[in-house]
């Protein structure tokens, strides 16, 4: 039995996240339908992470197991003929049988995009948050360093989460500007439910003066979600990189 690791990209605008749901269309369901057409059976597809409704992926990894003798490039080309334009397979390789796309992962990287122009840009509406107030990216780049380290991040986790362990290690966090687009990039060994979106929303509160500069470490230590900022909307979020 071959264990194939596939790398895909997708525009999440038309989907209710990655994971199969009963009453909503997901990326996983569409992908499994394409796999069934190519491999002539409904194979299990195991993903590296959940993503929320409207969230995108520059790099998403998944595995499937098959006995079919088909080349890596053959898998890529065959699946791309069956997938819609907003999902694309960009890589395929065989890995050992024990490899798991989620549990074998060393770290994940997310990027959040904000269009910081005065007026709304219709070409960015599905792919970045429009935020009309000026963002000092250099200032937020200094503030966001407070997130780096190993902490209990329950103050930056949605109340809907049912995890028992809130401790994560954030390895890097950067904020920078390119013309009217401001980018937030964070890498960690794992993320809690809505963690990146809450971090971004909190940094915007710092930008607005609703949270004082230098206060982020106190919010982290408080473990109190009410002290952090709002959850930023999903359309600006991208799963950017998976590190194995």
């Amino acid at each position: 039995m071959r264990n194939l690791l596939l790398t895909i990209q997708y525009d999440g605008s038309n989907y209710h996240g990655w994971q199969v749901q009963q009453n909503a269309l997901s990326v996983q369901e569409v992908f499994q339908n394409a796999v069934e057409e190519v491999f002539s059976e409904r194979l299990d597809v195991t993903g590296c992470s959940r993503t929320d409704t409207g969230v995108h992926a520059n790099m998403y990894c998944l595995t499937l197991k098959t006995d079919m003798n088909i080349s890596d490039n053959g898998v890529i080309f065959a699946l791309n003929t069956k997938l819609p334009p907003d999902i694309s397979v960009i890589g395929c390789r065989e890995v050992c049988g024990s490899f798991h796309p989620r549990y074998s992962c060393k770290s994940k990287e997310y990027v959040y995009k904000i269009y910081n122009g005065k007026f709304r840009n219709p070409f960015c509406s599905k792919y970045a948050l429009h935020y009309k107030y000026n963002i000092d990216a250099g200032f937020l780049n200094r503030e966001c360093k407070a997130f780096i380290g190993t902490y209990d991040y329950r103050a930056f986790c949605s109340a809907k989460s049912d995890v028992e362990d809130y401790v994560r290690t954030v390895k890097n966090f950067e904020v920078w500007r390119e013309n009217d687009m401001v980018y937030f990039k964070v890498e960690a060994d794992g993320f809690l439910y809505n963690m990146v979106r809450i971090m971004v929303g909190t940094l915007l509160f710092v930008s607005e003066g609703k949270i004082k500069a230098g206060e982020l470490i106190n919010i982290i230590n408080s473990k109190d979600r009410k002290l952090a900022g709002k959850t930023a909307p999903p359309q600006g979020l991208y799963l950017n990189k998976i590190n194995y």
Side-chain angles (χ1 to χ4, degrees):
M1 183 72 70
R2 302 168 67 208
N3 191 21
L4 300 181
L5 173 64
L6 280 71
T7 303
I8 70 172
Q9 295 178 320
Y10 60 81
D11 175 345
S13 303
N14 296 322
Y15 303 102
H16 288 254
W18 160 259
Q19 191 164 346
V20 169
Q21 300 180 38
Q22 288 186 347
N23 301 311
L25 186 65
S26 69
V27 178
Q28 185 179 20
E29 179 183 346
V30 172
F31 197 86
Q32 283 185 311
N33 290 340
V35 167
E36 186 173 11
E37 287 194 65
V38 171
F39 292 89
S40 300
E41 58 179 319
R42 196 160 187 84
L43 300 175
D44 289 333
V45 173
T46 304
C48 64
S49 179
R50 296 183 179 184
T51 57
D52 293 338
T53 299
V55 173
H56 316 291
N58 292 324
M59 179 182 182
Y60 188 96
C61 295
L62 57 95
T63 56
L64 60 86
K65 294 184 178 181
T66 179
D67 286 322
M68 184 178 289
N69 186 18
I70 179 173
S71 70
D72 295 345
N73 282 338
V75 172
I76 296 172
F77 290 125
L79 285 173
N80 281 338
T81 63
K82 305 298 182 182
L83 288 165
D86 53 9
I87 304 174
S88 178
V89 182
I90 60 173
C92 176
R93 62 185 175 95
E94 189 168 347
V95 291
C96 67
S98 63
F99 182 93
H100 192 286
R102 178 181 176 187
Y103 300 120
S104 298
C105 172
K106 294 179 179 178
S107 69
K108 298 174 185 174
E109 180 181 277
Y110 279 90
V111 167
Y112 195 95
K113 298 181 182 181
I114 293 181
Y115 178 69
N116 195 212
K118 185 176 181 181
F119 304 109
R120 185 175 67 249
N121 184 335
F123 300 106
C124 292
S125 62
K126 294 181 180 180
Y127 308 109
L129 168 66
H130 176 228
Y131 183 84
K132 64 182 180 180
Y133 305 105
N134 182 61
I135 294 175
D136 183 338
F139 168 61
L140 291 189
N141 186 53
R142 294 188 293 274
E143 287 293 301
C144 74
K145 303 309 182 193
F147 286 122
I148 299 175
T150 301
Y151 298 107
D152 181 320
Y153 282 99
R154 72 185 69 203
F156 297 87
C157 179
S158 170
K160 296 179 182 179
S161 176
D162 57 359
V163 299
E164 296 181 1
D165 183 10
Y166 292 87
V167 176
R168 299 292 186 272
T169 298
V170 174
K171 300 184 176 185
N172 190 39
F173 205 134
E174 299 176 63
V175 180
W176 73 94
R177 174 184 291 276
E178 294 179 11
N179 299 317
D180 284 336
M181 197 70 74
V182 178
Y183 298 84
F184 299 70
K185 183 170 71 174
V186 56
E187 179 189 358
D189 62 354
F191 291 90
L192 300 169
Y193 184 40
N194 284 345
M195 181 173 166
V196 178
R197 291 166 58 191
I198 297 170
M199 285 174 157
V200 172
T202 302
L203 285 169
L204 290 179
F205 269 29
V206 174
S207 180
E208 295 169 9
K210 295 178 180 178
I211 293 175
K212 293 181 180 179
E215 189 66 18
L216 289 181
I217 189 62
N218 294 329
I219 296 174
I220 294 170
N221 291 331
S222 76
K223 304 176 186 177
D224 186 350
R225 173 67 185 90
K226 294 178 182 178
L227 296 182
K230 292 183 178 180
T231 304
Q235 71 270 20
L237 186 61
Y238 297 73
L239 178 55
N240 194 54
K241 189 176 181 181
I242 309 295
N243 296 308
Y244 292 110

